Amino acid sequence: MRFKSFYIGLLFWVTVCEGFESYRLPNTTKPTHYDLFIDTNIHEGDLDYNGTVKIYIDIQEDTKQIVLHSSRSTLVNVELKNSDLLNIPVIKYDTEIEKDFLIVHVASELKNGSSVVLEIDFVNSINRTDQKGFYRTSYTTDENVVKYAGLTQFQACDARSAFPCYDEPGIKTTFDVRITCGNDYHARANAGIASVTMLSDKKKLVKFKRSPKMQTYLLAFLVSDYAVKRDYANSTKRITVQSLARPSQADQLNYSVDAAVKLIDELQSYFDHPYELDKIDNVAIRNTDYSDGAMENWGLVTYLESYLLVGAASSESAKRDVVIVIAHEFAHQFFGNLLAPKWWSYLWLNEGFATLYEYYLADRTHPHLLIKDRFTVVALQEALQKDSSITVRPMTHYVETVPEIGRLFDSIAYAKSGSVLRMMLHVLGEQTFVKGLRHYIKKNQNSVVEPSDLYNSLQNATTEHQSLPTSLTIATVMESWTNQPGAPVVTVERVADSNEFKFTQKRFYHTPSPPENNQTWWIPIFVYTNSSEGAYGDKPLFWIPQGTSAMTRKIPIEENDVFILNPGQLGYYRVNYDKATWNSLVETLESSPETLDSATRGQLIDDSMNLANAGMLDHEMSFKILDHLRNSTDFLPWKSAYRSILELDKMLATDNDALNLLHQYIIQLSTKLFESYGMKERVGENTNDHDARLIAVDLSCRVGQQKCTEYAAAKKTNILDQRTHRLVIRSETEQRWYCNALRTARELEVELFQEALEMEEDSQARSYLINSLACVRDRVLLEQVMEYVAEQVGTNELYRFMGAAAEDSAAGMNAVIGFLTERRNQMDDFFSNTRAVERLICKLAEKIVDRTSADRLLMLAKVLRIAPDLEANLSGKLDEQIHWKERNVPLVRAALERYQP
């Protein structure tokens, strides 16, 4: 070890220590309980705080040091006592800054089996702009007074930045928390309030009940003067359900309270297990001051205001989004909170279940919002798209450093993991699957888990219900999906005119020239034919074993049967057919599309377009599958098509002739959709109707459809005609119209939107304005808007603006790269949030298909010192996309030419 020492006071020499090889804490000591005291004066605008933490520790091995985490806190005093509360001399403490380690050294050896209490006094501040740890948010009252609040965001590794602690997910302990605040403020923590003691100086001390055993990243507290709406869950009214927000938004809390009551009741009923605490709070944080969508802190869940508040003008789709996010965070109360992963490698045990049940639980409590049906076209197809890259990681993936851990929160942890778990739900049947999960919860509650714990519980239920072939186990199946990257494509070819079919499997890559790969999976084969409906379809007919790349199987089908493999995308894989079967499917879609359900038609579109782009199917065939939408207005297949069309629009951006052919085709394809849904929302529409209209408006205006562009132009003219009225956008449909209007905006119109943004306090309305401004196409104007957002708006909204601009157009993408390159030595607050910057860089990479832009982005990544592994992944992804364009543009152009008049 190398040491750098300096004196900081009368108590200790503090040493910066270098030498620990691992970023994991050593196993020599283990905390069993925390007493945490936080003294705040936020009500006075004082953003510093004092704290004391007492950590009760068991010694696991003979040692002369205690190693834990600490960053940002200034330590004032460190004391160690034995179980008899007698002092143990501390000779010094060290810090290893890179690993956030705090190492406390003692003179005499601490013996294995003994217990000690480590007490640390510290000072810290919530005046930080990275929106991590214990940090500030604020709002301005009608009297122009700034009011501050303090809140926490500890996941994944930021509890250590608020107080010294053992900040790893596999360590669960109880917490006793005490917080002081002003009399006109209130404090909240994970558990309910045990007592309130009035102090001098117009302050009070709030003591909370002891928490369940939990990880440090789930510890949470809030000090604020927020408004509260309350109700009670359970037939015994045992659970208090509250929603909180800044006072001006109090009238938008009722819907979330009602949804939360229904969801917490359904969660307990569905899994036959009680929620551990006697309360659950849902807190809305201004979009400007919250970088995540939501956070599942046990008993004190935090959300973007956009994901919790519902006003009088909110659409059914906005309500659906609120229900989905609450369902996701409430599912975590069991999967992640009650059952904690031993390490971040198993993050999918948290996020996979939360993703699955945000759809399945929410659909049970709010069936009219049509949530469950959206899983394939939103989660699963997104996952398959991301999982087709050469650079993707597996579900179980070991990392150690804080940046690496942050990058685990991706589509693999969420969408893919949820899709694989959904596949197993259908393989086993929901009754068996849920029985296994109930056993998993009851057996492992309040402990840390790894995948084998889940597999064992599912296996118990599977064996009892005989839901798998006797030679097959849950662990065998699941490990083929969790321990290797990517997803398979199953190709089925009919042998002559027989009922015998050849099935082959291989890993699917979206690049036309994939690397050599011999990966295989245990693949459940779901089959649908219209003559056998009810006999099979929602359960696997057979399995393709791992290690088997090809096999034959007889399937009894009638002469005119419609034959579908993996109907509704129950399995997490793509399907390719022989040419005759594809032609038969095209005939079915043209003559009687109602033969197939909406999800299956969406699957055929998604699979065929991706197979064509990967060189496994003719583009002519994929456009024949897509073309049946001329006569369809169903949301689900149109959602699948929308994703594929936007991908083509991106890839053809550098070839004006091909792009024009695509736009002319989209005008033909979307005419019925646009005319059916019209310009405005209608009374009685469901959420799918609402989202289908958004697709119709965006596609039609994006490609220059006359009625759409004329209506958008009229909206722009109306802005100028009513300059004396403040511009307010209250719906997503309106936002799409304004987005299209601003694609040809002039400076005056842009200024009106900027003025509206300055005056708007509602978070959702601000999001609509920002997303509309991101649609500006003129390079000079777009740079001016970006400059304005950077100087006048918070960093969160700047991230969102840049992401939306890059998503909307190549012009936006190039403008963002240019702006970041020019401002890389400025905007410290912006660039200090490493994870947000990495996400933005990755989003920019997804839009690039030319070498010049790719080189610019890679140079920017190098200048910003993006992690080497991420930079390598970016380079690989960019090469894939450029190669895709070089191969596919001529083929897509040729396929589109046949649709020209």
Side-chain angles (χ1 to χ4, degrees):
M1 289 187 180
R2 299 196 314 274
F3 297 98
K4 303 173 186 177
S5 301
F6 53 95
Y7 192 60
I8 65 163
L10 298 176
L11 295 175
F12 300 105
W13 283 91
V14 178
T15 309
V16 178
C17 161
E18 300 173 359
F20 286 89
E21 292 184 2
S22 174
Y23 284 78
R24 301 279 298 270
L25 291 173
N27 295 319
T28 54
T29 65
K30 180 182 178 181
T32 59
H33 176 70
Y34 290 83
D35 281 339
L36 179 63
F37 170 68
I38 301 291
D39 181 23
T40 76
N41 291 288
I42 299 171
H43 59 292
E44 296 179 343
D46 182 354
L47 304 182
D48 295 334
Y49 66 93
N50 301 317
T52 298
V53 61
K54 288 183 180 180
I55 310 176
Y56 295 77
I57 299 170
D58 285 347
I59 307 302
Q60 309 279 77
E61 298 178 14
D62 293 352
T63 182
K64 285 190 174 183
Q65 62 182 24
I66 295 173
V67 184
L68 64 160
H69 290 108
S70 183
S71 67
R72 295 185 66 96
S73 293
T74 299
L75 308 190
V76 177
N77 189 36
V78 178
E79 294 182 359
L80 189 66
K81 297 181 180 180
N82 63 19
S83 56
D84 296 322
L85 301 182
L86 299 176
N87 284 329
I88 299 173
V90 174
I91 56 175
K92 66 178 179 180
Y93 55 85
D94 314 330
T95 61
E96 179 154 345
I97 295 174
E98 182 184 4
K99 297 179 176 65
D100 296 332
F101 283 179
L102 170 64
I103 307 103
V104 179
H105 295 267
V106 295
S108 57
E109 191 169 62
L110 303 173
K111 294 298 183 180
N112 180 20
S114 64
S115 298
V116 297
V117 180
L118 177 64
E119 182 172 344
I120 302 174
D121 298 325
F122 60 95
V123 295
N124 207 321
S125 176
I126 67 171
N127 190 24
R128 51 192 297 186
T129 57
D130 57 358
Q131 292 158 11
K132 298 176 182 178
F134 188 27
Y135 73 96
R136 62 173 170 81
T137 179
S138 65
Y139 69 91
T140 303
T141 67
D142 292 339
E143 294 76 29
N144 207 32
V145 176
V146 176
K147 303 296 289 286
Y148 289 100
L151 72 144
T152 56
Q153 174 58 43
F154 289 163
Q155 194 183 53
C157 305
D158 283 295
R160 66 189 68 174
S161 70
F163 66 100
C165 59
Y166 290 72
D167 200 14
E168 289 189 353
I171 301 174
K172 298 188 75 170
T173 63
T174 53
F175 292 81
D176 287 337
V177 178
R178 295 173 299 137
I179 299 175
T180 65
C181 63
N183 288 340
D184 56 346
Y185 270 49
H186 51 72
R188 295 285 189 273
N190 302 87
I193 295 173
S195 65
V196 178
T197 304
M198 305 311 294
L199 307 175
S200 60
D201 299 327
K202 299 181 180 180
K203 291 178 66 174
K204 58 189 174 187
L205 171 65
V206 183
K207 180 180 179 181
F208 297 92
K209 299 173 185 177
R210 180 162 293 188
S211 76
K213 289 176 65 177
M214 64 185 188
Q215 312 93 304
T216 48
Y217 83 79
L218 290 174
L219 180 67
F221 32 92
L222 170 76
V223 178
S224 76
D225 66 344
Y226 284 178
V228 181
K229 291 293 176 70
R230 180 181 298 110
D231 201 349
Y232 301 90
N234 272 10
S235 58
T236 59
K237 306 296 183 185
R238 186 184 69 84
I239 302 172
T240 303
V241 178
Q242 299 184 131
S243 288
L244 298 86
R246 50 193 169 112
S248 62
Q249 308 299 307
D251 62 341
Q252 299 187 50
L253 291 172
N254 291 329
Y255 187 86
S256 65
V257 173
D258 178 73
V261 167
K262 292 174 180 175
L263 285 163
I264 199 69
D265 280 344
E266 182 61 34
L267 179 76
Q268 297 173 95
S269 173
Y270 187 84
F271 292 112
D272 190 28
H273 193 86
Y275 172 68
E276 291 289 298
L277 296 170
D278 61 4
K279 66 94 175 177
I280 189 162
D281 297 332
N282 300 294
V283 186
I285 308 300
R286 291 183 68 189
N287 288 17
T288 54
D289 296 333
Y290 196 69
S291 57
D292 292 292
M295 175 60 207
E296 66 266 19
N297 311 304
W298 208 341
L300 183 62
V301 187
T302 50
Y303 304 78
L304 279 176
E305 284 187 342
S306 300
Y307 289 155
L308 194 69
L309 303 182
V310 173
S314 297
S315 67
E316 288 296 289
S317 293
K319 294 175 183 176
R320 176 199 64 214
D321 293 344
V322 167
V323 171
I324 285 174
V325 176
I326 295 175
H328 183 102
E329 304 311 321
F330 279 20
H332 273 309
Q333 304 303 304
F334 286 177
F335 302 104
N337 297 8
L338 191 63
L339 308 169
K342 284 188 175 179
W343 186 247
W344 296 110
S345 309
Y346 313 127
L347 180 62
W348 66 267
L349 289 173
N350 292 9
E351 299 302 345
F353 279 111
T355 299
L356 174 65
Y357 282 109
E358 75 180 58
Y359 291 90
Y360 279 57
L361 277 182
D363 194 73
R364 294 172 71 90
T365 58
H366 296 76
H368 63 288
L369 295 178
L370 307 176
I371 293 170
K372 185 177 176 181
D373 292 344
R374 301 170 65 87
F375 189 97
T376 56
V377 298
V378 176
L380 186 143
Q381 289 174 10
E382 175 201 338
L384 285 173
Q385 179 73 18
K386 302 288 187 183
D387 216 11
S388 62
S389 173
I390 296 172
T391 62
V392 76
R393 69 172 181 86
M395 286 167 57
T396 297
H397 182 59
Y398 185 78
V399 296
E400 284 194 4
T401 70
V402 172
E404 289 172 337
I405 291 167
R407 290 196 288 276
L408 290 178
F409 291 80
D410 59 7
S411 62
I412 301 303
Y414 290 77
K416 176 180 179 175
S417 302
S419 298
V420 170
L421 291 170
R422 172 179 173 268
M423 176 176 68
M424 294 306 297
L425 183 151
H426 287 284
V427 164
L428 303 178
E430 188 169 14
Q431 180 183 4
T432 303
F433 188 73
V434 173
K435 185 169 186 176
L437 292 187
R438 289 176 173 180
H439 181 270
Y440 174 56
I441 291 168
K442 284 181 169 60
K443 182 177 180 180
N444 299 288
Q445 59 183 306
N446 291 316
S447 63
V448 292
V449 293
E450 54 191 353
S452 60
D453 297 307
L454 171 65
Y455 304 159
N456 291 338
S457 291
L458 288 176
Q459 187 63 53
N460 287 339
T462 297
T463 301
E464 180 181 342
H465 292 181
Q466 298 181 342
S467 302
L468 282 179
T470 54
S471 60
L472 199 55
T473 67
I474 292 291
T476 300
V477 174
M478 283 293 294
E479 286 172 357
S480 76
W481 296 91
T482 62
N483 292 350
Q484 60 180 341
V489 54
V490 174
T491 299
V492 56
E493 299 173 278
R494 191 168 189 172
V495 179
D497 294 325
S498 69
N499 284 344
E500 190 167 309
F501 293 82
K502 180 182 179 182
F503 296 84
T504 59
Q505 66 157 308
K506 67 177 182 178
R507 181 172 171 182
F508 177 78
Y509 293 100
H510 62 61
T511 179
S513 300
E516 289 295 323
N517 185 279
N518 59 0
Q519 286 178 242
T520 56
W521 291 258
W522 278 98
I523 304 178
I525 299 300
F526 301 89
V527 176
Y528 166 85
T529 68
N530 48 344
S531 65
S532 62
E533 185 177 10
Y536 46 83
D538 60 349
K539 295 280 288 183
L541 183 63
F542 64 96
W543 292 78
I544 302 178
Q546 187 173 30
T548 300
S549 59
M551 65 183 294
T552 57
R553 179 86 180 203
K554 284 188 176 181
I555 299 177
I557 62 174
E558 304 292 334
E559 182 177 350
N560 295 317
D561 261 351
V562 176
F563 172 64
I564 295 288
L565 200 66
N566 198 27
Q569 285 183 304
L570 300 180
Y572 184 68
Y573 53 91
R574 296 201 181 278
V575 177
N576 197 6
Y577 300 95
D578 57 58
K579 188 172 182 179
T581 304
W582 276 118
N583 282 328
S584 175
L585 290 170
V586 169
E587 291 176 10
T588 299
L589 292 171
E590 289 176 346
S591 61
S592 52
E594 69 281 353
T595 306
L596 304 176
D597 63 83
S598 296
T600 297
R601 286 189 283 127
Q603 170 204 354
L604 289 172
I605 292 169
D606 188 62
D607 278 349
S608 63
M609 294 300 292
N610 280 280
L611 289 165
N613 293 340
M616 299 180 67
L617 184 68
D618 290 338
H619 279 94
E620 182 177 342
M621 183 65 75
S622 67
F623 277 103
K624 286 180 180 179
I625 296 291
L626 180 66
D627 205 56
H628 88 276
L629 291 182
R630 289 175 185 266
N631 299 310
S632 174
T633 60
D634 286 354
F635 165 70
L636 294 181
W638 264 108
K639 177 65 175 176
S640 298
Y642 183 57
R643 180 184 291 107
S644 294
I645 289 169
L646 291 183
E647 184 74 6
L648 287 174
D649 193 66
K650 172 187 76 175
M651 291 297 187
L652 301 180
T654 58
D655 187 316
N656 289 333
D657 291 339
L659 190 63
N660 183 59
L661 287 172
L662 176 65
H663 288 181
Q664 292 303 310
Y665 174 71
I666 293 171
I667 290 174
Q668 301 171 37
L669 187 71
S670 61
T671 295
K672 182 174 181 179
L673 183 73
F674 183 75
E675 291 179 348
S676 296
Y677 287 105
M679 316 288 189
K680 299 179 181 179
E681 298 176 13
R682 300 167 186 167
V683 176
E685 286 184 334
N686 62 40
T687 56
N688 284 353
D689 293 334
H690 172 273
D691 288 2
R693 174 178 293 102
L694 296 180
I695 292 172
V697 170
D698 187 58
L699 286 181
S700 298
C701 281
R702 183 183 290 268
V703 301
Q705 198 258 22
Q706 186 175 355
K707 288 183 180 179
C708 192
T709 55
E710 286 176 352
Y711 189 81
K715 296 286 286 185
K716 185 167 62 174
T717 301
N718 190 50
I719 296 171
L720 297 174
D721 291 344
Q722 299 186 25
R723 290 193 62 188
T724 56
H725 300 282
R726 182 162 72 92
L727 174 64
V728 178
I729 306 178
R730 289 289 185 243
S731 75
E732 200 171 355
T733 301
E734 267 197 327
Q735 186 274 320
R736 293 296 174 93
W737 285 118
Y738 283 121
C739 170
N740 287 290
L742 287 178
R743 286 187 174 129
T744 56
R746 296 169 297 176
E747 187 171 0
L748 178 59
E749 294 145 2
V750 169
E751 287 176 354
L752 289 174
F753 273 78
Q754 292 176 175
E755 291 170 6
L757 184 60
E758 289 178 12
M759 299 173 66
E760 185 60 69
E761 281 292 315
D762 182 84
S763 289
Q764 186 62 71
R766 288 183 66 85
S767 294
Y768 291 148
L769 286 165
I770 287 169
N771 289 340
S772 298
L773 282 166
C775 297
V776 172
R777 293 284 178 87
D778 181 86
R779 178 67 180 266
V780 175
L781 271 182
L782 190 57
E783 289 174 351
Q784 291 176 4
V785 174
M786 216 161 338
E787 193 78 32
Y788 163 81
V789 175
E791 293 180 357
Q792 302 296 328
V793 181
T795 55
N796 276 357
E797 290 182 326
L798 180 56
Y799 293 132
R800 291 173 186 132
F801 171 83
M802 288 181 170
E807 188 71 28
D808 185 70
S809 67
M813 179 267 296
N814 284 312
V816 172
I817 293 176
F819 185 85
L820 292 175
T821 301
E822 293 168 7
R823 299 289 292 268
R824 63 186 182 274
N825 294 321
Q826 305 170 37
M827 304 192 308
D828 290 343
D829 289 348
F830 180 88
F831 289 111
S832 66
N833 191 333
T834 304
R835 182 59 187 136
V837 172
E838 288 179 349
R839 286 172 178 165
L840 179 59
I841 295 294
C842 290
K843 179 166 283 193
L844 291 168
E846 291 176 358
K847 303 299 293 184
I848 290 175
V849 294
D850 65 284
R851 178 53 60 190
T852 299
S853 297
D855 290 343
R856 291 177 66 211
L857 184 67
L858 290 173
M859 180 59 68
L860 175 63
K862 195 173 294 291
V863 169
L864 295 177
R865 297 180 182 176
I866 297 296
D869 60 327
L870 178 58
E871 186 180 344
N873 283 347
L874 284 174
S875 181
K877 182 174 182 60
L878 291 167
D879 287 343
E880 287 179 16
Q881 293 176 176
I882 292 168
H883 187 199
W884 184 101
K885 183 200 72 171
E886 291 170 347
R887 176 197 182 272
N888 283 313
V889 168
L891 301 175
V892 173
R893 186 194 300 114
L896 287 169
E897 284 173 348
R898 66 186 295 271
Y899 293 99
Q900 298 310 300

Coordinates of all heavy atoms in Angstrom, one line a residue, residues 250 306 341 357 521 739 901:
A250 N -51.2 20.3 -5.4 CA -52.0 19.4 -4.5 C -53.2 18.8 -5.1 O -53.7 17.7 -4.8 CB -52.3 20.1 -3.2
S306 N -44.2 14.2 -13.6 CA -45.0 13.7 -14.8 C -45.5 12.3 -14.6 O -46.5 11.9 -15.3 CB -44.0 13.7 -16.0 OG -43.6 15.0 -16.3
P341 N -31.1 -8.6 -4.2 CA -30.0 -9.4 -4.9 C -28.7 -9.3 -4.1 O -28.3 -8.3 -3.5 CB -29.9 -8.7 -6.2 CG -30.3 -7.2 -5.9 CD -31.4 -7.4 -4.9
Y357 N -44.5 -7.0 -14.1 CA -45.7 -6.8 -13.3 C -46.2 -5.3 -13.4 O -47.3 -5.1 -13.0 CB -45.5 -7.3 -11.9 CG -45.7 -8.8 -11.8 CD1 -44.6 -9.6 -11.6 CD2 -46.9 -9.4 -12.1 CE1 -44.8 -11.0 -11.6 CE2 -47.1 -10.7 -12.1 CZ -46.0 -11.6 -11.8 OH -46.2 -12.9 -11.9
W521 N -30.0 -22.1 -27.3 CA -30.9 -21.9 -26.1 C -31.8 -23.1 -25.9 O -32.1 -23.8 -26.9 CB -31.7 -20.6 -26.2 CG -30.9 -19.3 -26.2 CD1 -30.9 -18.5 -25.1 CD2 -30.2 -18.7 -27.2 NE1 -30.1 -17.3 -25.4 CE2 -29.7 -17.5 -26.7 CE3 -29.9 -19.0 -28.5 CZ2 -28.9 -16.6 -27.5 CZ3 -29.1 -18.2 -29.3 CH2 -28.6 -17.0 -28.8
C739 N -45.0 20.2 -32.5 CA -43.7 19.6 -33.0 C -43.6 19.8 -34.5 O -42.6 20.3 -35.0 CB -43.6 18.2 -32.6 SG -42.2 17.3 -33.3
P901 N -46.5 5.1 -58.0 CA -47.5 5.1 -59.0 C -46.9 5.0 -60.4 O -45.8 5.5 -60.6 CB -48.2 6.5 -58.8 CG -47.8 7.0 -57.5 CD -46.5 6.3 -57.1

